[in-house]
Amino acid sequence: MTYGNERIYKKIEVIGVAKGSFEEAMQAAVTRAHKTLEGLSWFEVQEMRGHIAADGKISEYQVVLKVAFEMK
């Protein structure tokens, strides 16, 4: 891919969820988007949040990402 040429991208929002960490949630979102979209190029984190279980421990990590892919 040549980055000197004119390009157009589309951004969409995806939400990754994981039990282990924010990084795992981000990777889950990117991995799934990569299976569905062609030409995935970059991402940006919009929000990070999680769920607290009844015992006071973090039970789930959630990350809202915008992923971009180059339009044909």
Side-chain angles (χ1 to χ4, degrees), residues 51-70:
H51 185 262
I52 301 169
D55 64 0
K57 297 192 179 197
I58 297 172
S59 62
E60 183 177 86
Y61 296 84
Q62 304 166 1
V63 180
V64 179
L65 302 175
K66 292 224 176 162
V67 294
F69 57 94
E70 189 170 359

Side-chain angles (χ1 to χ4, degrees), residues 33-66:
H34 183 262
K35 289 179 182 178
T36 309
L37 303 167
E38 276 187 49
L40 214 57
S41 184
W42 49 270
F43 73 93
E44 57 188 67
V45 176
Q46 298 294 298
E47 297 177 41
M48 297 172 81
R49 60 178 171 257
H51 185 262
I52 301 169
D55 64 0
K57 297 192 179 197
I58 297 172
S59 62
E60 183 177 86
Y61 296 84
Q62 304 166 1
V63 180
V64 179
L65 302 175
K66 292 224 176 162

